[in-house]
Amino acid sequence: MDVHNAFLHDDLHKEIYMDIPPGLQRQKENIVCLLQKSLHGLKQASRQWNEKFTKALTSNGFLQSEHDYAFFLKRKGNSFIALIIYIDDILITGNDEVAIKSLKEHLNKHFHIKDLGEPKYFLGIEIARSHIGISLSQRKYVLELVSDSGLSGCKPSAIPVKQNSKLTTQEYDKVASSIEIDPPLEDASHYQRLVSRLIYLTMTRPDISYAMHILSQFMHGPKHSHIDPAIKVIKYLKGCPGLGLLLPRNADLDITANCDSDWGTCPMTRKSLTGFCIKLRGVLISWKTKRQSTVSLSSAEAEYRAMTKTTCEITWILRLLGDLGVQVKGPVQMYYDNKATNDIATNPVFHDRTKHI
């Protein structure tokens, strides 16, 4: 299939020139109007834009996916077209060049679009195609991040985060019967801007997902002990800026999942940590590191909750692939490492240890 990249320019994004209200007499030249309310950036603006774009596609025979509202499909005989949109950037793929060309002409009637051809750079992601498959990386983004941080000449780090790293929001940390003061950062925006840029990088770098889970917990009030781990992540990225994801051309369409949990890992709330990764054709397509919403009373309970989150993600992926008409070999294999969890899943007997789950 050929993939095409396009950029939309809607009438809402054009510059608007206001006329002088009727009845107003000009007493001086170059008078201006006092703005009472913003014309752009309203709460309903994004909803109105999505509604307008959806109507333009549905009028052309497209169906909006029930599992991802930014995903549209059109099938007619052997012709197949898929489209995904992010704000005003869209990707179009399909097996019918004539239908794709007709779609572009249809969109150009409703919006002002710019056809960028085969995508090589989309939303900060570098796309490279070869006979092996498609490679996704953010190398340019990483190099700009390292340069802006002033760490171009630093020594790279072998790991993104120290093992058993426990960051807290406490002002005083008792270590070896001594008290160390950990005051808040004078400029919190520096830490917030740095972590926000690193979070965007996790789209193609699952290796820093756990580190960003830790650092993102302190965006509201970062302290001096939090900035050093963030710098360590950048030093790690400096040593491997070109790492990314490779989507091979030929492989079996099977899905496998791995899930795990860390019981009571949060030192502030004692909540457990859920981590999972899901592979299609042996390639990562979904991953997450997230703190659980409730406190687990045992490691088996924490593992069971991690399995639940992983199962929900697998269900969503299977339904999304079903919209694409992709038949996945089943059942999906999920790997975990807790015998008690396996016993509960195999024989869910009601007793005191599981009735609260």
Side-chain angles (χ1 to χ4, degrees):
M1 293 185 180
D2 294 328
V3 183
H4 299 262
N5 187 10
F7 179 76
L8 295 177
H9 292 282
D10 184 40
D11 294 338
L12 299 175
H13 295 86
K14 292 182 179 180
E15 293 184 358
I16 299 179
Y17 298 93
M18 298 181 59
D19 295 329
I20 299 298
L24 178 64
Q25 298 180 357
R26 290 193 177 185
Q27 299 177 355
K28 298 181 180 180
E29 295 294 333
N30 299 325
I31 61 176
V32 296
C33 296
L34 177 63
L35 182 63
Q36 299 290 343
K37 190 173 183 181
S38 176
L39 296 176
H40 303 283
L42 301 180
K43 292 182 179 180
Q44 65 271 23
S46 57
R47 176 181 174 86
Q48 295 298 323
W49 161 245
N50 179 265
E51 183 179 356
K52 181 177 181 180
F53 184 78
T54 301
K55 287 182 179 179
L57 287 180
T58 53
S59 63
N60 195 32
F62 277 82
L63 296 177
Q64 189 176 23
S65 173
E66 296 180 356
H67 310 104
D68 190 342
Y69 293 155
F71 185 48
F72 297 85
L73 293 165
K74 181 180 180 181
R75 288 190 180 91
K76 188 176 182 181
N78 296 327
S79 177
F80 170 80
I81 301 178
L83 180 148
I84 190 168
I85 180 172
Y86 181 81
I87 306 178
D88 54 1
D89 294 287
I90 64 175
L91 281 178
I92 306 173
T93 184
N95 58 0
D96 191 345
E97 285 291 337
V98 177
I100 293 177
K101 183 178 179 181
S102 176
L103 171 62
K104 294 178 181 178
E105 294 175 353
H106 175 76
L107 291 176
N108 199 30
K109 293 179 181 178
H110 293 79
F111 316 97
H112 297 279
I113 71 171
K114 181 179 181 182
D115 188 2
L116 303 179
E118 183 178 315
K120 297 182 180 179
Y121 197 78
F122 184 73
L123 299 178
I125 301 176
E126 301 177 32
I127 305 173
R129 308 176 71 180
S130 66
H131 65 282
I132 300 176
I134 300 177
S135 173
L136 305 177
S137 66
Q138 292 175 274
R139 184 176 183 274
K140 181 180 178 181
Y141 185 86
V142 171
L143 295 178
E144 291 178 354
L145 178 59
V146 173
S147 178
D148 295 343
S149 303
L151 299 174
S152 300
C154 71
K155 181 180 178 181
S157 174
I159 55 176
V161 63
K162 292 182 180 179
Q163 188 177 8
N164 299 324
S165 178
K166 303 291 184 181
L167 300 180
T168 66
T169 58
Q170 304 296 327
E171 295 185 2
Y172 299 97
D173 185 16
K174 298 182 179 180
V175 180
S177 68
S178 63
I179 298 179
E180 296 181 0
I181 299 178
D182 187 15
L185 291 174
E186 297 179 357
D187 185 10
S189 61
H190 172 67
Y191 178 88
Q192 295 167 351
R193 182 168 56 252
L194 180 61
V195 174
S196 298
R197 297 182 67 179
L198 288 172
I199 291 175
Y200 189 74
L201 189 59
T202 57
M203 290 192 301
T204 59
R205 297 296 297 266
D207 51 338
I208 65 171
S209 178
Y210 173 71
M212 300 321 303
H213 161 76
I214 296 176
L215 296 176
S216 61
Q217 299 180 52
F218 311 104
M219 295 282 280
H220 60 285
K223 299 181 180 299
H224 279 272
S225 61
H226 302 153
I227 192 66
D228 290 337
I231 297 299
K232 187 175 182 61
V233 175
I234 299 180
K235 292 181 179 179
Y236 167 75
L237 294 173
K238 182 180 182 297
C240 49
L243 287 183
L245 301 175
L246 175 63
L247 309 178
R249 287 182 178 271
N250 300 319
D252 295 332
L253 282 176
D254 58 338
I255 294 180
T256 58
N258 298 75
C259 68
D260 201 356
S261 68
D262 193 358
W263 180 46
T265 184
C266 181
M268 297 171 290
T269 62
R270 307 311 301 173
K271 293 181 179 180
S272 304
L273 187 67
T274 294
F276 67 80
C277 62
I278 302 174
K279 297 180 180 180
L280 175 65
R281 292 183 168 184
V283 180
L284 282 174
I285 58 173
S286 179
W287 56 88
K288 179 176 289 187
T289 303
K290 187 176 181 180
R291 188 172 58 187
Q292 296 182 1
S293 58
T294 58
V295 177
S296 298
L297 303 182
S298 64
S299 59
E301 182 181 341
E303 293 275 359
Y304 200 73
R305 296 184 187 277
M307 290 174 58
T308 303
K309 291 295 183 182
T310 309
T311 303
C312 294
E313 186 73 9
I314 292 173
T315 303
W316 175 76
I317 291 176
L318 290 176
R319 292 177 178 177
L320 192 61
L321 292 175
D323 291 341
L324 288 168
V326 177
Q327 298 296 329
V328 179
K329 296 181 180 180
V332 176
Q333 295 183 356
M334 181 166 59
Y335 299 93
Y336 50 93
D337 58 354
N338 190 278
K339 184 178 182 302
T341 304
N342 184 48
D343 295 338
I344 297 174
T346 305
N347 186 20
V349 179
F350 180 84
H351 50 72
D352 292 343
R353 294 184 179 182
T354 59
K355 68 179 182 180
H356 63 279
I357 302 178

